[in-house]
């Protein structure tokens, strides 16, 4: 998979993309990453990417002309046509289901807003808008990083143990529930013990316990997931 990002703060991606899972995924060839500076497509002396809103009001709006030029140029950089996704609080809600859906794309182009967001006409260049939650951040860079990490860790061969992405919270094979509680050594810590069943070696019973624990936890913390 190829992931392109369009941003006015490309340096924000350096640390996140080049550490841990995302670094390993690139080394394994599971995905290639390209971040583009929107200012490369500006045409005035100041390199303006934003302007004041028609009708007045606070803040600045990202310019449709600069965005369109950049998106068209980036699209043409590879013969794979990207799925073009604008990061925006007004978008479709991101979820594990959407992350799985994106793993099927050969190429993604994530467009990061700043200021008050995009000129409405720029959305004509989007296949969809995506929100990472009902709150407002200062820019689309962190949302883009959230999407990249959620998608890339699902790509085949990225995580050592393929089962770890199958049996986790929100996944279909976990019936969309939260994951069951997990424990590791020591078996007793300051009087806190591990559920006995987990040290019994009885895999059938352990499986049953995990399913029940996942359901109990979901009922308590996220009853909305059961609906
Ligand atoms: N005025 C806009 C918010 C702009 S925030 C509104 O009220 O809807 C500036 C930029 O940050 C947005 O263009 C978007 O790219 C990004 N952003 C902020 N919150 C986000 C969220 N929850 N999900 C995705 N992108 C977000």
């Amino acid at each position: 998979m190829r992931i392109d990002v369009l941003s006015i703060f490309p340096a924000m991606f350096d640390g996140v993309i080049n550490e841990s899972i995302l670094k390993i995924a690139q080394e394994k060839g599971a995905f290639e990453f390209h971040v583009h500076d929107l200012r490369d497509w500006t045409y005035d002396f100041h390199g303006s990417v934003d302007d004041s809103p028609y009708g007045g009001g606070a803040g600045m709006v990202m310019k449709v002309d600069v965005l369109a030029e950049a998106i068209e140029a980036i699209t043409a950089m590879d013969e794979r046509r990207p799925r073009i996704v604008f990061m925006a609080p007004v978008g479709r809600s991101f979820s594990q289901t959407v992350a799985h859906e994106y793993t099927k794309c050969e190429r993604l182009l994530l467009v990061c807003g700043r200021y008050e967001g995009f000129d409405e006409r720029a959305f004509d260049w989007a296949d969809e808008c995506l929100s990472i939650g009902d709150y407002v951040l200062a820019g689309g860079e962190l949302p883009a990083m959230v999407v990249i990490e959620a998608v890339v860790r699902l790509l085949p061969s990225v995580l050592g143990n393929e089962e770890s992405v199958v049996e986790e919270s929100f996944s279909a094979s976990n019936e969309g529930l939260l994951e069951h509680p997990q424990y590791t050594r020591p078996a007793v810590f300051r009087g806190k013990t591990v559920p006995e069943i987990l040290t019994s070696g009885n895999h059938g019973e352990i499986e049953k316990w995990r399913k029940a624990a996942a359901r109990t936890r979901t009922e308590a913390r996220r009853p909305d997931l059961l609906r």
Side-chain angles (χ1 to χ4, degrees), residues 14-33:
D14 293 347
V16 170
I17 297 295
N18 296 310
E19 290 284 355
S20 184
I21 294 285
L22 295 180
K23 179 185 179 187
I24 295 165
Q26 288 178 88
E27 287 167 358
K28 285 184 173 170
F31 93 113
E32 63 181 278
F33 180 72

mmCIF file of all heavy atoms in Angstrom, residues 14-33:
data_model
loop_
_atom_site.group_PDB
_atom_site.id
_atom_site.type_symbol
_atom_site.label_atom_id
_atom_site.label_comp_id
_atom_site.label_asym_id
_atom_site.label_seq_id
_atom_site.Cartn_x
_atom_site.Cartn_y
_atom_site.Cartn_z
ATOM 1 N N ASP A 14 7.531 12.906 10.963
ATOM 2 C CA ASP A 14 8.826 12.219 11.023
ATOM 3 C C ASP A 14 8.914 11.194 12.150
ATOM 4 O O ASP A 14 9.246 10.034 11.917
ATOM 5 C CB ASP A 14 9.964 13.238 11.192
ATOM 6 C CG ASP A 14 10.116 14.111 9.950
ATOM 7 O OD1 ASP A 14 9.518 13.755 8.914
ATOM 8 O OD2 ASP A 14 10.811 15.145 10.026
ATOM 9 N N GLY A 15 8.647 11.617 13.368
ATOM 10 C CA GLY A 15 8.803 10.726 14.517
ATOM 11 C C GLY A 15 7.853 9.552 14.464
ATOM 12 O O GLY A 15 8.271 8.395 14.634
ATOM 13 N N VAL A 16 6.602 9.821 14.183
ATOM 14 C CA VAL A 16 5.579 8.773 14.242
ATOM 15 C C VAL A 16 5.773 7.717 13.147
ATOM 16 O O VAL A 16 5.645 6.517 13.395
ATOM 17 C CB VAL A 16 4.168 9.405 14.155
ATOM 18 C CG1 VAL A 16 3.091 8.347 13.973
ATOM 19 C CG2 VAL A 16 3.904 10.223 15.409
ATOM 20 N N ILE A 17 6.081 8.173 11.949
ATOM 21 C CA ILE A 17 6.175 7.245 10.821
ATOM 22 C C ILE A 17 7.459 6.413 10.886
ATOM 23 O O ILE A 17 7.530 5.311 10.343
ATOM 24 C CB ILE A 17 6.099 8.030 9.484
ATOM 25 C CG1 ILE A 17 4.746 8.734 9.368
ATOM 26 C CG2 ILE A 17 6.353 7.135 8.282
ATOM 27 C CD1 ILE A 17 3.541 7.822 9.280
ATOM 28 N N ASN A 18 8.485 6.960 11.560
ATOM 29 C CA ASN A 18 9.777 6.270 11.541
ATOM 30 C C ASN A 18 10.141 5.581 12.856
ATOM 31 O O ASN A 18 11.317 5.400 13.175
ATOM 32 C CB ASN A 18 10.876 7.248 11.096
ATOM 33 C CG ASN A 18 10.626 7.707 9.670
ATOM 34 O OD1 ASN A 18 10.409 6.890 8.781
ATOM 35 N ND2 ASN A 18 10.591 9.009 9.445
ATOM 36 N N GLU A 19 9.122 5.212 13.629
ATOM 37 C CA GLU A 19 9.341 4.447 14.861
ATOM 38 C C GLU A 19 8.433 3.217 14.871
ATOM 39 O O GLU A 19 7.370 3.227 14.238
ATOM 40 C CB GLU A 19 8.962 5.294 16.099
ATOM 41 C CG GLU A 19 9.889 6.445 16.392
ATOM 42 C CD GLU A 19 11.214 6.047 17.026
ATOM 43 O OE1 GLU A 19 11.414 4.856 17.341
ATOM 44 O OE2 GLU A 19 12.041 6.958 17.198
ATOM 45 N N SER A 20 8.887 2.209 15.627
ATOM 46 C CA SER A 20 8.025 1.083 15.983
ATOM 47 C C SER A 20 7.387 0.387 14.784
ATOM 48 O O SER A 20 8.022 0.171 13.765
ATOM 49 C CB SER A 20 6.985 1.585 16.980
ATOM 50 O OG SER A 20 6.184 0.545 17.436
ATOM 51 N N ILE A 21 6.109 0.069 14.921
ATOM 52 C CA ILE A 21 5.381 -0.719 13.918
ATOM 53 C C ILE A 21 5.434 -0.079 12.532
ATOM 54 O O ILE A 21 5.591 -0.763 11.524
ATOM 55 C CB ILE A 21 3.894 -0.824 14.336
ATOM 56 C CG1 ILE A 21 3.744 -1.629 15.623
ATOM 57 C CG2 ILE A 21 3.050 -1.432 13.234
ATOM 58 C CD1 ILE A 21 3.923 -3.093 15.438
ATOM 59 N N LEU A 22 5.276 1.242 12.477
ATOM 60 C CA LEU A 22 5.232 1.902 11.168
ATOM 61 C C LEU A 22 6.596 1.845 10.482
ATOM 62 O O LEU A 22 6.692 1.723 9.265
ATOM 63 C CB LEU A 22 4.732 3.342 11.307
ATOM 64 C CG LEU A 22 3.287 3.465 11.792
ATOM 65 C CD1 LEU A 22 2.872 4.927 11.900
ATOM 66 C CD2 LEU A 22 2.331 2.723 10.859
ATOM 67 N N LYS A 23 7.637 1.921 11.271
ATOM 68 C CA LYS A 23 8.986 1.797 10.716
ATOM 69 C C LYS A 23 9.193 0.379 10.182
ATOM 70 O O LYS A 23 9.637 0.183 9.049
ATOM 71 C CB LYS A 23 10.002 2.108 11.823
ATOM 72 C CG LYS A 23 11.429 1.985 11.387
ATOM 73 C CD LYS A 23 12.352 2.188 12.570
ATOM 74 C CE LYS A 23 13.798 2.051 12.139
ATOM 75 N NZ LYS A 23 14.690 2.089 13.293
ATOM 76 N N ILE A 24 8.832 -0.598 11.002
ATOM 77 C CA ILE A 24 9.013 -2.001 10.600
ATOM 78 C C ILE A 24 8.185 -2.310 9.351
ATOM 79 O O ILE A 24 8.644 -2.985 8.431
ATOM 80 C CB ILE A 24 8.623 -2.949 11.765
ATOM 81 C CG1 ILE A 24 9.597 -2.743 12.928
ATOM 82 C CG2 ILE A 24 8.588 -4.399 11.325
ATOM 83 C CD1 ILE A 24 9.133 -3.329 14.252
ATOM 84 N N ALA A 25 6.966 -1.775 9.321
ATOM 85 C CA ALA A 25 6.085 -2.029 8.171
ATOM 86 C C ALA A 25 6.704 -1.494 6.884
ATOM 87 O O ALA A 25 6.586 -2.111 5.826
ATOM 88 C CB ALA A 25 4.718 -1.396 8.402
ATOM 89 N N GLN A 26 7.385 -0.359 6.974
ATOM 90 C CA GLN A 26 8.049 0.184 5.779
ATOM 91 C C GLN A 26 9.235 -0.689 5.391
ATOM 92 O O GLN A 26 9.466 -0.958 4.214
ATOM 93 C CB GLN A 26 8.530 1.613 6.044
ATOM 94 C CG GLN A 26 7.387 2.610 6.106
ATOM 95 C CD GLN A 26 7.905 4.004 6.416
ATOM 96 O OE1 GLN A 26 8.256 4.756 5.532
ATOM 97 N NE2 GLN A 26 7.956 4.325 7.709
ATOM 98 N N GLU A 27 9.982 -1.140 6.406
ATOM 99 C CA GLU A 27 11.132 -1.994 6.119
ATOM 100 C C GLU A 27 10.704 -3.309 5.468
ATOM 101 O O GLU A 27 11.397 -3.845 4.614
ATOM 102 C CB GLU A 27 11.917 -2.272 7.403
ATOM 103 C CG GLU A 27 12.695 -1.044 7.870
ATOM 104 C CD GLU A 27 13.235 -1.162 9.297
ATOM 105 O OE1 GLU A 27 12.972 -2.194 9.962
ATOM 106 O OE2 GLU A 27 13.899 -0.222 9.739
ATOM 107 N N LYS A 28 9.522 -3.809 5.888
ATOM 108 C CA LYS A 28 9.022 -5.063 5.310
ATOM 109 C C LYS A 28 8.385 -4.835 3.941
ATOM 110 O O LYS A 28 7.934 -5.787 3.301
ATOM 111 C CB LYS A 28 7.956 -5.672 6.239
ATOM 112 C CG LYS A 28 8.516 -6.323 7.494
ATOM 113 C CD LYS A 28 7.373 -6.965 8.275
ATOM 114 C CE LYS A 28 7.883 -7.786 9.444
ATOM 115 N NZ LYS A 28 6.768 -8.201 10.326
ATOM 116 N N GLY A 29 8.253 -3.568 3.546
ATOM 117 C CA GLY A 29 7.645 -3.268 2.245
ATOM 118 C C GLY A 29 6.126 -3.327 2.267
ATOM 119 O O GLY A 29 5.483 -3.354 1.217
ATOM 120 N N ALA A 30 5.524 -3.354 3.465
ATOM 121 C CA ALA A 30 4.059 -3.422 3.550
ATOM 122 C C ALA A 30 3.408 -2.102 3.152
ATOM 123 O O ALA A 30 2.294 -2.083 2.642
ATOM 124 C CB ALA A 30 3.630 -3.802 4.966
ATOM 125 N N PHE A 31 4.095 -0.992 3.424
ATOM 126 C CA PHE A 31 3.565 0.279 2.920
ATOM 127 C C PHE A 31 4.697 1.261 2.677
ATOM 128 O O PHE A 31 5.773 1.152 3.250
ATOM 129 C CB PHE A 31 2.502 0.848 3.872
ATOM 130 C CG PHE A 31 2.972 1.822 4.916
ATOM 131 C CD1 PHE A 31 2.567 3.161 4.874
ATOM 132 C CD2 PHE A 31 3.793 1.430 5.957
ATOM 133 C CE1 PHE A 31 2.975 4.060 5.842
ATOM 134 C CE2 PHE A 31 4.205 2.319 6.937
ATOM 135 C CZ PHE A 31 3.789 3.643 6.878
ATOM 136 N N GLU A 32 4.452 2.175 1.728
ATOM 137 C CA GLU A 32 5.418 3.255 1.495
ATOM 138 C C GLU A 32 4.729 4.566 1.818
ATOM 139 O O GLU A 32 3.518 4.721 1.608
ATOM 140 C CB GLU A 32 5.962 3.223 0.066
ATOM 141 C CG GLU A 32 4.924 3.435 -1.007
ATOM 142 C CD GLU A 32 5.514 3.369 -2.419
ATOM 143 O OE1 GLU A 32 6.059 4.378 -2.871
ATOM 144 O OE2 GLU A 32 5.399 2.295 -3.044
ATOM 145 N N PHE A 33 5.504 5.489 2.379
ATOM 146 C CA PHE A 33 4.926 6.732 2.886
ATOM 147 C C PHE A 33 5.535 7.939 2.186
ATOM 148 O O PHE A 33 6.752 8.014 2.012
ATOM 149 C CB PHE A 33 5.198 6.824 4.395
ATOM 150 C CG PHE A 33 4.639 8.069 5.008
ATOM 151 C CD1 PHE A 33 3.274 8.208 5.175
ATOM 152 C CD2 PHE A 33 5.470 9.107 5.402
ATOM 153 C CE1 PHE A 33 2.740 9.371 5.722
ATOM 154 C CE2 PHE A 33 4.948 10.267 5.954
ATOM 155 C CZ PHE A 33 3.577 10.394 6.116
#
